Structure formats: C-alpha cells, structure tokens
Amino acid sequence: MNTRSLDENFIVNAYNRFEVEIASGSNSLIYDSDGREYIDMGSGIGVNLFGAADEEWRNAVIAQLEKIQHTSNLYYNEPCARLAEMLCKRSGMSRVFFSNSGAEANECAIKAARKFSADTKGDNYFTIITLWNSFHGRTITTLAATGQEHYHELYQPLTPGFVHAHAGNIDELEKLSQENKLAAIMIECIQGEGGVVALTHEYAEAIKKFVREKNILLIIDEVQAGNGRTGKLFSYEHYGFEPDIVTVAKGLGGGLPIGATLFNAKVQNVFNHGDHGSTFGGNPVICAGACNILSRIDDDLLNEVTRKGEILREILADFNPTGIGLMLGVKPSRPSREAAQECINNGVLCTTAKDKLRLLPPINIPESLLVKAGKVIAQACK
C-alpha cells in the first residue's frame, strides 16, 4: 500500500488533505515524494520557523539526543531551565510553564487566570472574555474559549465560563463586565485562523483601559503570531500591551512540539506544587532546539521580517493583504482552497484561513524565493 492508501485506511478522517506527499525539504524549499520542488509559504502552519531541516537547529537537537532524550519533571534539566531564562529575559516576563502545544499553553493560561482570580477576588470570578473570530485550540476548554460557533456545534456541552466580544466594539466589553464576574480577557493580536485579522490600535487602547479599570488579567495568545513572525518577538509589542500571561508554541520548537505559558511578576506564583503538570513539557531535546531558535531571533532578523513583509504586501496589494510582517492573509477572487490548489500546481505551498490564503513562510526565507512565490500567489488570486 502507498502512503495515501495507508493514510485513508488507518488514520482518522479529520483532515482534508491536498494531493501532496511531503518527503523532504531544505530551508524554504519542500520536495514531494515524486521529487517535485515547492516554495514553502506555510512552514507547517508557522512551525518550521527557519525552514525545513535547518542545520543549526538540527545540530542542537542531535547533540541533546546523544545525551538523553527525556527526563520527567521530577528532576531538573539544563535545556529546559536555559530556555525559560531566555524567554523571560527576552519578554520581560517572570516565570514559564512548558507544555506540548498551543492548546495546552492556553489551557494552562486559563487555569492560572481562574486560580489567580479565585485566590484574590473569590471563587465566583472565573469568567473569561474572548473575541469572536478567535481560535485558541481544540480541547473542550479551548474550544469554549474560541469565538467561532462552527467549532462549538459538535461538542456540546463545552466548558462554561467564557463570553465573547466583537473586536472593535468597546461598549460590548463594558456590558459583559456588568453581566459577569470576570477573571480575565484573552486575545490574539492577529486572529490567524479567523482570517489573519489584526486588532486596531484604537481597540487595543480600549482593552488596556478596560483591564486596568476592571482589575482583570490580560492573556495574550501568541501561539501563531509570536516568535518573530510579525517583525517583533511578540505581536503584542506592536500595540504596547503589558500582558499578565502570554502563550507561545508553534515556531518556538522549530518543528518539534512545544508550548510555553509565560507569567508576569503579579501572577508568577499562582501555581504551587501539584497544581499543574505535564509529562513531556520541558523535554530536553525540544528545549535544546528551541534555545537555538530563540537565540537566532535578533534585531537584524526582525528587521528583515518587517522588510520582507512589506515586499510581499506590495506584490499582493491588489488583494488587500491583512496581518503584520510575515503573517499575511489575502482574499482571492475564487474559493480559497481552489486558489491554494493553483499555488500547489505552480510550485508554492500555502495554507487557508476561512476565505483567505494564509501566508506563513519561514522567517528567514530568501527574498528571491519570496518574490517568486508572491507572484504565483498573486496569479492564483485573480
């Protein structure tokens, strides 16, 4: 049996796959099982931050594999501790909890916000505001947090304690605060799965005022927009937010699964021994790779991300690009999946988000490949 037959016979039918079997890759180029070459404008939905089989990252992972592949969190391990230090120093946050995915990082944030609020205000203060059109994960709780009814339909009853506001509607925040005893508001600065839609600066200022006046926590989900993708280490830096809790994942691992929940000084001691845990969180191999990834996201690279984002935006100007940096969305004149398929036919891989093509290339993609891919995408959008 070939790969497709094996997949169709033995893997749960949860994915509407394109007719491409990924076999290998080198940086921003991907090769299928027939040897055909593609420019990678999706990076595994923002995961392969420095592209496929990145040599520096690979060497860091292999070096740790040759020492030990896993330790439980009953013991200390150096890559885990070093990565936590790097994240705190780069972000200004105080403590980190490691898990295995963005959904888990968001679960941790939700648990922490509820516990902190219960400890400081009372057990009834557990409701969290999230935004319509958001996406925070596929567990029952993070689906409840997600502001898209489509994801709610099949899995009732969802975890209670979430209410949703429309991005940009400032009055709605006040109304929800009067109707609920709030623990936090949880936002994405750029709604990736929601169609690569960035918050307005006016609404960001309203959220800052709101959390101050209501004395609630601000949680920012940086799972897709973080790790340098927008030209800042975190997308909230574009807005001047000072979050209490930040969640990251995807690109931090460079291709291996990791989630991280960052806490500021106010919230850093919310968990005591046994209050939360993870078998694989802080795995030394994954953390060693993540240390390498994070160490290479410097100001020069972030400036390059900004510049390349502007180049791509100019190429795609006729299709009203949304997003920031190298996290962009464009709306084609045809269904987005059809446009994505045309891109594949012409040697470019990209993803979709609702009615848009979503572009998440490796953040170190060469300019020549970016321009070539942008022209293919522009043609597919017509």
Side-chain angles (χ1 to χ4, degrees):
M1 300 176 76
N2 62 24
T3 300
R4 177 173 176 175
S5 297
L6 289 169
D7 186 299
E8 291 177 349
N9 278 277
F10 298 108
I11 294 179
V12 170
N13 187 30
Y15 302 106
N16 185 18
R17 303 193 198 277
F18 288 99
E19 295 293 323
V20 178
E21 179 185 339
I22 303 298
S24 64
S26 177
N27 302 114
S28 298
L29 296 173
I30 297 293
Y31 301 92
D32 68 17
S33 54
D34 296 322
R36 188 176 178 201
E37 182 181 273
Y38 303 87
I39 301 172
D40 186 8
M41 293 294 286
S43 61
I45 314 185
V47 169
N48 296 335
L49 202 70
F50 285 91
D54 172 70
E55 185 176 4
E56 282 194 46
W57 170 82
R58 188 175 72 242
N59 289 342
V61 168
I62 292 170
Q64 180 58 44
L65 273 172
E66 291 174 342
K67 297 175 183 177
I68 190 166
Q69 75 275 29
H70 174 72
T71 66
S72 85
N73 281 303
L74 294 173
Y75 314 104
Y76 300 101
N77 85 73
E78 186 267 343
C80 172
R82 185 159 50 94
L83 178 59
E85 178 191 31
M86 293 173 71
L87 283 167
C88 288
K89 287 187 173 180
R90 292 290 300 272
S91 67
M93 305 295 273
S94 298
R95 297 288 177 94
V96 181
F97 182 89
F98 289 115
S99 54
N100 310 286
S101 67
E104 286 184 52
N106 285 335
E107 287 266 357
C108 176
I110 291 163
K111 289 176 69 174
R114 286 187 169 181
K115 185 175 185 300
F116 181 84
S117 190
D119 290 345
T120 57
K121 293 195 287 188
D123 292 346
N124 292 331
Y125 288 83
F126 57 78
T127 299
I128 296 175
I129 297 175
T130 64
L131 301 182
W132 288 113
N133 204 46
S134 62
F135 185 87
H136 297 293
R138 294 183 182 273
T139 66
I140 290 294
T141 296
T142 54
L143 277 181
T146 292
Q148 298 190 53
E149 291 180 342
H150 164 71
Y151 290 111
H152 297 173
E153 293 167 355
L154 300 178
Y155 304 108
Q156 298 292 331
L158 299 174
T159 303
F162 295 92
V163 293
H164 309 297
H166 291 89
N169 189 329
I170 298 169
D171 294 337
E172 195 170 11
L173 293 177
E174 182 62 35
K175 181 174 184 292
L176 290 173
S177 74
Q178 294 172 359
E179 297 171 346
N180 300 275
K181 293 183 176 180
L182 299 177
I185 181 170
M186 183 176 187
I187 63 170
E188 301 161 285
C189 294
I190 307 171
Q191 296 178 330
E193 296 289 337
V196 199
V197 181
L199 297 184
T200 66
H201 285 272
E202 179 186 13
Y203 191 60
E205 292 302 314
I207 290 174
K208 293 176 194 177
K209 181 180 178 183
F210 181 71
V211 297
R212 286 195 305 269
E213 291 180 347
K214 306 304 177 184
N215 189 28
I216 62 172
L217 298 180
L218 173 59
I219 305 169
I220 299 186
D221 178 341
E222 291 278 349
V223 168
Q224 193 168 139
N227 306 302
R229 178 152 296 283
T230 66
K232 302 283 189 183
L233 185 60
F234 299 113
S235 66
Y236 69 76
E237 296 177 64
H238 293 282
Y239 295 88
F241 281 121
E242 296 181 358
D244 298 291
I245 303 175
V246 175
T247 60
V248 295
K250 288 190 181 291
L252 179 62
L256 293 175
I258 189 172
T261 309
L262 285 58
F263 302 94
N264 72 359
K266 181 169 72 174
V267 190
Q268 65 176 336
N269 295 317
V270 64
F271 289 138
N272 295 310
H273 295 167
D275 288 346
H276 196 44
S278 171
T279 296
F280 292 102
N283 173 274
V285 173
I286 297 173
C287 286
C291 285
N292 175 266
I293 293 292
L294 195 56
S295 72
R296 294 156 64 192
I297 305 174
D298 59 17
D299 288 343
D300 288 341
L301 178 60
L302 293 173
N303 290 334
E304 280 293 295
V305 169
T306 298
R307 187 180 67 82
K308 289 174 183 175
E310 291 169 352
I311 290 170
L312 188 56
R313 186 180 288 274
E314 184 176 346
I315 294 170
L316 299 170
D318 290 343
F319 308 100
N320 189 30
T322 58
I324 304 173
L326 289 176
M327 182 178 179
L328 295 180
V330 288
K331 186 175 180 180
S333 60
R334 66 182 80 183
S336 59
R337 187 173 175 89
E338 288 183 15
Q341 183 60 59
E342 182 171 332
C343 289
I344 289 172
N345 296 344
N346 289 286
V348 172
L349 301 180
C350 57
T351 66
T352 61
K354 291 195 170 181
D355 59 354
K356 292 181 181 177
L357 295 181
R358 177 175 38 170
L359 311 177
L360 303 164
I363 63 172
N364 64 338
I365 184 171
E367 183 178 327
S368 59
L369 290 181
L370 186 74
V371 170
K372 183 177 179 181
K375 291 178 179 178
V376 169
I377 293 163
Q379 185 62 39
C381 285
K382 292 182 178 178

